[in-house]
């Protein structure tokens, strides 16, 4: 609860983390309303809405968490926590739990707005896949956010580093434009990264698309394991 209150009191974190995905959903989604993917009978919104769901997870669990931990370390908060009776693990669990709660709130709002504004509703049979993808996505990008916070040399560099590391991949993955195309070799390379994997798992929950869900799960799980290992190895309190 304390971490959630702190989050909402920070206008910068709340606005960027919560409002940005919703604004992109409405702004970009309104320009493609009613369109279909080329050569298919699949509405573009049925792909775009779950893509923005994935974007919200990345912003909250990767960018926001990485920048926040880097700032807390720079301000000496993490160092002071280690000198209090509060177990360090309990404090870190609270931060991660707050991040998970914020991520779930963002995805819930995105899904509701996607339904009300664009009529994008998940398949009943795809709800379990969406839930599993979201849970794995939070673990994956949360661990990568923790690792990022330790790689960043300063609090000021954490957010730019996070944005530079995922935004190009998000564009090439078709997060903002399902019709965006790249050379085959680049598409294969992007397919090995967790951004597209998460987006395609969530897309599969809305409408079956031509890809291998099992492969996407393996990619996301692999990055989750690697991110957790990197976070444990690189994480520092000061």
């Amino acid at each position: 609860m304390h971490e959630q209150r702190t989050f909402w009191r920070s206008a910068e974190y709340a606005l960027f983390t919560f409002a940005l995905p919703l604004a992109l959903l409405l702004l970009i989604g309104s320009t493609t309303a009613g369109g279909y993917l080329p050569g298919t009978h699949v509405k573009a919104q049925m792909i775009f809405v779950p893509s923005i769901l994935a974007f919200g997870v990345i912003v909250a669990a990767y960018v926001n968490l990485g920048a926040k931990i880097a700032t807390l370390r720079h301000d000496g908060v993490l160092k002071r926590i280690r000198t209090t009776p509060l177990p360090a693990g309990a404090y870190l669990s609270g931060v991660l739990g707050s991040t998970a709660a914020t991520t779930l709130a963002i995805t819930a709002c995105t899904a509701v707005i996607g339904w009300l504004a664009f009529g994008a509703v998940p398949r009943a049979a795809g709800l379990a896949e969406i839930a599993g993808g979201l849970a794995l996505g939070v673990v994956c990008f949360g661990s990568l956010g923790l690792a990022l916070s330790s790689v960043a040399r300063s609090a000021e560099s954490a957010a730019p580093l996070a944005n530079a590391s995922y935004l190009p991949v998000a564009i090439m993955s078709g997060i903002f434009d399902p019709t965006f195309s790249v050379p085959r070799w680049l598409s294969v390379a992007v397919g090995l990264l967790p951004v597209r994997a998460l987006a395609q798992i969530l897309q599969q929950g809305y409408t079956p698309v031509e890809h291998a869900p099992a492969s996407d799960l393996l990619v996301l799980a692999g990055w989750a394991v690697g991110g957790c290992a990197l976070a444990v190895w690189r994480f520092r309190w000061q």
Side-chain angles (χ1 to χ4, degrees), residues 15-227:
L15 180 63
F16 179 79
T17 305
F18 205 89
L20 181 60
L22 301 181
L24 289 177
L25 174 66
L26 292 173
L27 291 174
I28 300 178
S30 62
T31 64
T32 59
Y36 290 84
L37 295 181
T40 72
H41 297 289
V42 178
K43 288 186 176 181
Q45 302 301 341
M46 298 298 287
I47 300 297
F48 176 67
V49 171
S51 295
I52 295 299
L53 285 177
F55 177 76
V57 171
I58 296 168
V59 169
Y62 178 61
V63 181
N64 180 58
L65 179 62
K68 179 176 182 178
I69 294 296
T71 301
L72 292 174
R73 181 182 295 112
H74 178 268
D75 292 344
V77 175
L78 295 184
K79 182 179 180 180
R80 291 195 296 273
I81 289 294
R82 295 297 301 272
T83 65
T84 67
L86 177 67
Y91 174 78
L92 192 57
S93 296
V95 174
L96 297 177
S98 176
T99 298
T102 302
T103 304
L104 291 177
I106 293 171
T107 55
C109 289
T110 302
V112 170
I113 293 176
W115 166 49
L116 294 176
F118 308 113
V121 181
R123 297 181 297 116
L127 292 177
E129 192 168 14
I130 291 175
L134 288 174
L136 190 56
V138 170
V139 173
C140 175
F141 286 99
S143 62
L144 292 174
L146 287 177
L148 170 76
S149 71
S150 296
V151 173
R153 294 182 178 273
S154 65
E156 293 77 11
S157 66
L161 181 61
N163 289 321
S165 62
Y166 92 90
L167 270 178
V169 178
I171 294 172
M172 291 184 290
S173 299
I175 294 291
F176 308 115
D177 181 6
T179 64
F180 187 82
S181 61
V182 295
R184 181 173 178 80
W185 67 268
L186 186 55
S187 178
V188 172
V190 171
L192 297 176
L193 301 176
V195 175
R196 178 183 286 180
L198 176 59
Q200 291 189 153
I201 291 171
L202 299 183
Q203 290 167 9
Q204 186 74 11
Y206 274 73
T207 183
V209 293
E210 295 181 359
H211 65 88
S215 298
D216 294 326
L217 286 171
L218 288 175
V219 169
L220 199 58
W223 278 94
V225 172

